[in-house]
């Protein structure tokens, strides 16, 4: 039995309702295994703008830094579209990643056999299932580079700079190599080295590091080809390591192959044990409050939190097994129903808790 302090950021849109299901699963784990999880709900994103005048209050950052892990729902929505760029709800995510030192984002894309009908690809392409881990660099690149507007020859120009240091590349590459060692021994670096100088540095450094991991086969793909290959033959991939913007795009593409973006969790990790855990989908304000959102990505994010930050591997396995059991029983939310009868957010969460 152990005690942990968890910072909880429900966020905007469907964030609060999917977070409630994640917390219900955490409560079930507490009851079954005897652990104590002290949770504190914190403002960030659009709700923080409304209540405190800023997307990421310093008090939220400080509470997160004192916690063992952070759970995040989703932030943003059209309500805040006219907020200045540096204070948009989404900037809270970038601020949290930077303040907490969360440089490595792990996004597993797993095809549950029970959801084969929800996959948009031909059955023969995914007949063997799919299990890909995307390792995305999270605190560098174009999202954090120099940006601005200026007057140019043809009027106003906007610019965003893609920049990476050797240190940033080496530390995320290390995560990628080590992940491949624990899986099937294949690491693919996705870049645009035929055009971008930053990508050429990625290739140089990973090539230099490869001899330290003789049990891992390293390959490279341009991002446009990688996007096509994910559709053509997703099973060729084991671990993908890539920069911030390419990882953002490719992981969303991979999520649709699995059946729904509502199925994929993520872990954002620091050099220590502190991590932030969230579904990869957005706040979906159009379905907020309607009991339609799929809570599985959030629930699986709880499993990742138990595994990576809290060291509770057996408990994480139990959550993942419960999700599989419920799906194999034919239970579906509307996004993965493929025309079949579906249940709501709360009922899906209740059934998964019951199966743990």
């Amino acid at each position: 039995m152990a005690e942990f302090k968890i910072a909880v950021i429900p966020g905007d849109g469907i964030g609060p309702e999917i977070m409630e299901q994640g917390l219900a699963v955490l409560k079930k784990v507490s009851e079954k295994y005897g652990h104590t999880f002290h949770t504190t709900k914190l403002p960030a994103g659009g709700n923080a703008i409304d209540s405190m005048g800023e997307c990421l209050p310093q008090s939220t950052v400080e509470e997160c830094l004192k916690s063992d892990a952070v759970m995040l729902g989703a932030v943003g929505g059209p309500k805040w579209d006219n907020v200045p760029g540096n204070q948009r709800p989404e900037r809270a995510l970038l601020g949290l990643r930077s303040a907490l030192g969360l440089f490595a984002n792990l996004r597993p894309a797993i095809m549950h056999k029970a959801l084969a009908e929800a996959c948009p690809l031909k059955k023969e392409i995914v007949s063997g299932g799919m299990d890909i881990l995307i390792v995305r660099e999270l605190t560098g690149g174009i999202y954090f580079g120099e940006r601005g507007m200026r007057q140019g020859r043809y009027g106003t120009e906007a610019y965003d700079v893609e920049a990476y240091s050797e240190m940033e590349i080496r530390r995320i590459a290390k995560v990628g190599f080590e992940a491949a060692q624990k899986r099937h021994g294949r690491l693919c670096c996705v870049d645009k080295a035929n055009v971008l100088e930053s990508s050429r540095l990625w290739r140089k450094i990973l090539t230099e590091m490869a001899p330290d991991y003789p049990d891992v086969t390293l390959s490279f793909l341009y991002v446009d080809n990688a996007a096509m290959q994910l559709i053509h033959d997703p099973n060729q991939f084991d671990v993908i390591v890539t920069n911030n913007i390419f990882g953002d795009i490719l992981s969303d593409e991979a999520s649709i192959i699995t059946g729904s973006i509502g199925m994929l969790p993520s872990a954002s990790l620091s050099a220590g044990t502190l991590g932030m855990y969230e579904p990869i989908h957005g706040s979906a304000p159009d379905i907020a409050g309607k009991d339609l959102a799929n809570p599985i990505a959030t629930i699986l994010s709880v499993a990742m939190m138990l595994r990576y930050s809290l060291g509770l591997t057996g408990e994480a396995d139990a959550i993942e097994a419960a999700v599989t059991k419920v799906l194999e029983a034919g239970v579906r939310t509307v996004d993965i129903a493929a025309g079949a009868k579906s249940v709501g957010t709360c009922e899906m969460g209740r059934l998964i808790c019951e199966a743990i």
Side-chain angles (χ1 to χ4, degrees):
M1 296 184 291
E3 290 192 34
F4 302 97
K5 185 175 182 180
I6 311 298
V8 178
I9 302 175
D12 310 314
I14 62 172
E17 54 197 292
I18 56 175
M19 182 61 74
E20 284 306 308
Q21 302 312 311
L23 291 174
V25 166
L26 199 61
K27 180 180 179 182
K28 182 62 180 286
V29 169
S30 174
E31 293 169 351
K32 182 171 182 178
Y33 294 93
H35 306 304
T36 301
F37 301 101
H38 302 285
T39 60
T40 303
K41 291 187 177 180
L42 304 169
N47 65 90
I49 293 173
D50 291 347
S51 63
M52 304 181 71
E54 55 183 333
C55 65
L56 183 60
Q58 184 59 30
S59 57
T60 293
V61 174
E62 290 172 358
E63 190 66 29
C64 289
L65 286 168
K66 293 187 291 186
S67 302
D68 296 299
V70 180
M71 292 172 57
L72 175 68
V75 298
K79 178 181 179 181
W80 302 280
D81 280 350
N82 294 323
V83 173
N86 64 347
Q87 269 299 311
R88 286 180 62 87
E90 296 81 3
R91 296 298 295 182
L93 295 180
L94 303 185
L96 281 167
R97 292 165 185 168
S98 180
L100 305 183
L102 308 175
F103 70 91
N105 184 231
L106 307 186
R107 294 190 171 189
I110 298 172
M111 165 72 73
H112 288 266
K113 292 181 179 179
L115 296 183
E117 292 299 320
C119 177
L121 302 183
K122 294 179 179 179
K123 291 182 179 179
E124 56 266 30
I125 295 177
V126 291
S127 58
M130 187 181 87
D131 183 357
I132 300 171
L133 178 64
I134 298 178
V135 178
R136 169 191 172 193
E137 200 289 322
L138 209 55
T139 57
I142 200 168
Y143 293 164
F144 288 89
E146 181 184 350
R147 68 189 62 221
M149 292 193 179
R150 62 194 174 200
Q151 289 303 307
R153 181 179 177 184
Y154 300 105
T156 302
E157 299 175 345
Y159 61 92
D160 300 272
V161 177
E162 170 83 357
Y164 272 104
S165 68
E166 180 176 347
M167 178 277 291
E168 290 172 312
I169 298 169
R170 285 190 180 277
R171 68 180 181 179
I172 193 66
K174 182 174 183 290
V175 174
F177 276 113
E178 291 179 352
Q181 284 181 314
K182 296 173 183 177
R183 289 170 51 93
H184 306 296
R186 304 193 312 276
L187 178 65
C188 179
C189 177
V190 172
D191 59 32
K192 193 64 176 171
N194 56 335
V195 176
L196 301 178
E197 198 67 39
S198 57
S199 286
R200 285 189 274 273
L201 182 60
W202 274 71
R203 287 207 176 198
K204 177 178 181 293
I205 290 173
L206 267 78
T207 300
E208 290 174 356
M209 295 175 66
D212 295 332
Y213 302 90
D215 51 343
V216 175
T217 301
L218 174 64
S219 62
F220 297 94
L221 274 181
Y222 297 147
V223 63
D224 43 0
N225 189 17
M228 290 187 289
Q229 293 300 324
L230 271 173
I231 301 299
H232 175 67
D233 181 18
N235 285 311
Q236 69 184 275
F237 295 105
D238 179 19
V239 179
I240 292 173
V241 64
T242 189
N243 69 9
N244 206 338
I245 188 169
F246 296 161
D248 191 358
I249 296 166
L250 291 177
S251 59
D252 282 358
E253 180 189 9
S255 74
I256 295 302
I257 299 173
T258 67
S260 170
I261 199 170
M263 293 295 301
L264 269 64
S266 76
S268 300
L269 307 178
S270 67
T273 58
L274 178 60
M276 184 165 71
Y277 300 86
E278 60 182 304
I280 77 164
H281 59 69
S283 61
D286 57 318
I287 62 170
K290 298 180 180 179
D291 196 39
L292 292 175
N294 186 343
I296 291 179
T298 297
I299 290 168
L300 291 175
S301 294
V302 172
M304 293 187 79
M305 177 181 72
L306 298 181
R307 175 171 284 110
Y308 288 102
S309 282
L310 308 186
L312 304 178
T313 302
E315 291 84 339
D317 290 342
I319 294 174
E320 292 167 352
V323 169
T324 299
K325 181 179 180 181
V326 169
L327 291 174
E328 289 180 346
V331 182
R332 302 286 185 269
T333 46
V334 66
D335 58 312
I336 54 175
K341 184 179 178 181
S342 62
V343 301
T345 308
C346 296
E347 180 65 4
M348 178 63 85
R350 185 190 71 79
L351 290 170
I352 292 172
C353 285
E354 191 177 87
I356 294 175

